[in-house]
Amino acid sequence: MEVRMSIERYGMAVRLKEEKRDFYLENHQKVWPEVLTELKKIKVKNYSIFLKDDFMFGYLEYEGNNFDQDMEAMQKISIVNEWTVLMIDCFNPFPNHEKNNSWVMMDQIFFME
Amino acid sequence: MEVRMSIERYGMAVRLKEEKRDFYLENHQKVWPEVLTELKKIKVKNYSIFLKDDFMFGYLEYEGNNFDQDMEAMQKISIVNEWTVLMIDCFNPFPNHEKNNSWVMMDQIFFME
């Protein structure tokens, strides 16, 4: 039996549409409980989103075994997908990533425990 | 006696000069131990830096009682200041923050434990 205790840290970036700012902020004060439950199920933890002007930065920790696979499976759950569609509609692409209408994954270049 | 157990989470953003990219990345694989020691002394923990293109985002947790005061005091330590000067020289200002030549602090708009 494999015991996996490591934590992966993910950073991601996107921009927020000015006209959707209030909607996005309000919804992130009361994220649908079903969405939070699914995130916890796949072992996403310590998830923060930060905003400056129209730039957003997300940070999360993942303690599962296959992040991409878990995220993909989670998006197939209809209420999660419904939430995601609403949120993606709030986004402007990150500079130079116009083909990606959602979060752009970043590279972790430093870590201090 | 006050017991403070809360964690503050900070997100910050800046850009990296193309010509300093290698220098910055290499130095963040081997940050001066004195700098790490001082960060730990003021109870900075779980500190990551992420990069995408020339955008950088920093995330850290702070378990002390006065973040601004601790950071200011830390910058007065000469080896920390020497490090900081070298690193600031790698930065381009964040868009619309040309007067700030270093990290721009962001607002935390979401948190899930």
Side-chain angles (χ1 to χ4, degrees):
Chain A
M1 197 181 107
E2 192 195 352
V3 179
R4 168 84 180 270
M5 295 295 286
S6 74
I7 301 177
E8 291 167 12
R9 292 169 172 81
Y10 290 92
M12 52 203 187
V14 76
R15 288 189 301 170
L16 189 54
K17 286 179 188 160
E18 187 53 42
E19 68 273 22
K20 289 285 191 175
R21 186 183 180 96
D22 292 346
F23 175 82
Y24 191 87
L25 294 185
E26 283 162 18
N27 273 279
H28 278 79
Q29 294 304 307
K30 46 175 174 67
V31 174
W32 298 350
E34 297 88 343
V35 174
L36 297 176
T37 298
E38 295 302 327
L39 280 168
K40 283 170 187 168
K41 248 189 230 171
I42 62 166
K43 298 186 184 167
V44 166
K45 295 179 183 179
N46 202 16
Y47 182 7
S48 292
I49 299 176
F50 297 91
L51 175 69
K52 186 69 187 184
D53 307 327
D54 72 331
F55 282 93
M56 287 205 293
F57 165 54
Y59 170 86
L60 61 82
E61 294 171 4
Y62 171 74
E63 294 187 9
N65 288 300
N66 191 327
F67 182 72
D68 292 340
Q69 191 177 294
D70 278 349
M71 291 302 279
E72 198 183 316
M74 203 184 98
Q75 289 306 325
K76 290 182 181 151
I77 299 163
S78 80
I79 191 159
V80 174
N81 186 254
E82 197 184 328
W83 167 268
T84 303
V85 168
L86 280 172
M87 294 310 130
I88 285 182
D89 188 44
C90 301
F91 295 157
N92 275 326
F94 202 63
N96 301 313
H97 291 271
E98 280 68 24
K99 285 181 184 168
N100 184 346
N101 65 349
S102 185
W103 295 102
V104 168
M105 302 311 290
M106 307 181 78
D107 298 316
Q108 189 179 12
I109 61 164
F110 169 72
F111 176 62
M112 183 194 83
E113 190 163 7
Chain B
M1 197 182 105
E2 192 195 353
V3 180
R4 168 84 178 269
M5 296 294 287
S6 72
I7 301 176
E8 291 168 11
R9 292 169 172 81
Y10 290 92
M12 53 203 186
V14 76
R15 288 191 300 172
L16 189 54
K17 287 179 189 161
E18 187 53 42
E19 69 273 23
K20 289 285 190 175
R21 186 183 180 97
D22 291 346
F23 175 82
Y24 191 85
L25 294 185
E26 282 161 18
N27 273 278
H28 278 78
Q29 294 305 308
K30 48 174 174 63
V31 174
W32 298 351
E34 298 88 343
V35 175
L36 296 176
T37 298
E38 294 302 328
L39 281 169
K40 284 170 187 167
K41 247 189 231 171
I42 63 166
K43 299 186 184 167
V44 166
K45 295 177 182 180
N46 202 16
Y47 182 6
S48 292
I49 300 176
F50 297 91
L51 175 69
K52 186 70 187 182
D53 307 327
D54 71 331
F55 283 93
M56 288 205 293
F57 285 105
Y59 169 87
L60 62 81
E61 295 171 4
Y62 170 74
E63 294 186 8
N65 289 298
N66 191 325
F67 181 72
D68 292 340
Q69 191 177 295
D70 278 349
M71 290 302 279
E72 197 184 317
M74 204 185 96
Q75 288 306 326
K76 289 180 181 153
I77 299 163
S78 81
I79 191 158
V80 175
N81 186 255
E82 198 183 328
W83 168 268
T84 303
V85 168
L86 281 172
M87 294 309 130
I88 284 181
D89 189 44
C90 301
F91 294 158
N92 275 327
F94 202 64
N96 301 313
H97 292 271
E98 281 68 24
K99 285 181 183 167
N100 184 347
N101 65 350
S102 186
W103 295 102
V104 168
M105 301 311 289
M106 308 179 78
D107 299 316
Q108 190 179 11
I109 60 162
F110 168 72
F111 176 62
M112 182 194 84
E113 190 162 6

